Amino acid sequence: ECRSGIDGAQPDRERAVGRLLEGVRDTRRYGSAPAQTASAGPQVYKRALVRVGAGQADRADRQLEGSRVGQRCGAGRGGAAHDLLAEVASYGVRHVCVTGGEPLAQKSCLPLLTALCEMGYEVSLETSGAIDISNVNPLVSRVLDLKTPDSGEAARNLWENLDVLTQHDQLKFVICSREDYDWTVNEIRSRGLEQKIEILLSPVWGQVDPGALAEWVLEDQLNVRMQLQLHKILWGDEPG
């Protein structure tokens, strides 16, 4: 049972907080364990969701060699892109999340995303709000991380990206403080974002108590979900 950590909370309020904390996002969308990747390309997170046939890696090889997209991203046998895509296929997963760093800062990212889509994966992209996302393959679910003031990067937000987002995408705010939260509420409400797209609020690990953030959300009746860093809850704040 998820608990809010607030003594004396009423059962219905406790359940509401629990639902927010469960919003760590359902297992269809978010991963936690980082996969090994070839060279210094975008980091690809793997999740064992549904096992697929053991021959998928071989099928991927054949697809990539004859694929226009595979050729665009240098996916010939022995190439870094080919090795990366073949490795993803070897995990037997259905969903692939491309993250970073900033994946879109690398020129190979867009063709990589399209190649993953062509191979039949559910693909999501975690990106900052600083780079144009309009050229990302429409099959990709874009998770746009708008920077809050206490991140020190809010000036880099490319607000035009909000006009590109669809209901297939998500908008995320990483909350560093109560001030960040108040800023986030103002941006959400003044721009009418609650009615346009699914919104995620994520507390910074070790800086904002998730239970407190859940209480703020409930008090403001904000139509958002909470996302917690599940890998840190399960395995601690350690890489790999």
Side-chain angles (χ1 to χ4, degrees):
E1 179 182 354
C2 288
R3 298 188 59 83
S4 66
I6 299 174
D7 295 335
Q10 296 298 318
D12 57 342
R13 191 172 184 78
E14 194 78 4
R15 285 193 293 271
V17 174
R19 285 195 297 273
L20 280 167
L21 293 179
E22 286 173 3
V24 250
R25 203 53 191 145
D26 61 72
T27 55
R28 293 171 301 169
R29 301 288 294 268
Y30 282 93
S32 52
Q36 302 257 330
T37 61
S39 73
Q43 191 175 15
V44 178
Y45 278 71
K46 63 172 180 132
R47 292 212 309 140
L49 295 175
V50 174
R51 301 298 299 179
V52 296
Q56 184 170 351
D58 289 337
R59 290 198 299 276
D61 285 348
R62 292 193 295 272
Q63 281 179 290
L64 287 169
E65 285 185 337
S67 166
R68 181 166 50 90
V69 172
Q71 292 165 8
R72 282 204 306 270
C73 63
R77 283 190 179 274
H82 178 277
D83 292 345
L84 175 58
L85 291 167
E87 183 175 354
V88 171
S90 74
Y91 292 127
V93 298
R94 185 176 66 191
H95 182 107
V96 177
C97 176
V98 179
T99 181
E102 173 48 67
L104 292 179
Q106 303 181 54
K107 63 180 181 180
S108 62
C109 183
L110 293 177
L112 171 64
L113 292 168
T114 297
L116 289 166
C117 290
E118 286 192 348
M119 291 169 66
Y121 294 108
E122 296 175 10
V123 182
S124 62
L125 167 71
E126 293 194 347
T127 178
S128 73
I131 296 180
D132 180 17
I133 63 171
S134 61
N135 292 325
V136 174
N137 189 303
L139 294 175
V140 175
S141 176
R142 298 165 296 191
V143 184
L144 184 68
D145 182 1
L146 273 183
K147 301 304 182 184
T148 57
D150 283 351
S151 72
E153 299 182 24
R156 300 180 63 228
N157 287 332
L158 186 64
W159 292 100
E160 291 84 354
N161 277 331
L162 295 180
D163 298 328
V164 180
L165 295 174
T166 71
Q167 293 186 347
H168 181 55
D169 304 314
Q170 294 175 317
L171 182 61
K172 181 169 73 171
F173 296 86
V174 177
I175 307 300
C176 305
S177 64
R178 176 66 202 224
E179 291 73 23
D180 268 1
Y181 172 78
D182 292 337
W183 177 89
T184 296
V185 172
N186 180 67
E187 293 298 332
I188 290 173
R189 293 265 163 88
S190 65
R191 298 174 185 273
L193 297 175
E194 289 172 286
Q195 291 75 42
K196 296 179 181 178
I197 192 170
E198 185 171 42
I199 300 170
L200 305 173
L201 300 191
S202 180
V204 172
W205 182 263
Q207 286 185 230
V208 175
D209 175 62
L213 178 56
E215 285 291 332
W216 301 341
V217 168
L218 291 172
E219 289 169 4
D220 289 327
Q221 299 183 0
L222 202 60
N223 185 22
V224 300
R225 300 192 66 165
M226 282 186 60
Q227 179 194 16
L228 304 182
Q229 292 178 296
L230 187 57
H231 60 289
K232 290 185 179 179
I233 294 173
L234 296 176
W235 298 296
D237 190 9
E238 298 180 5

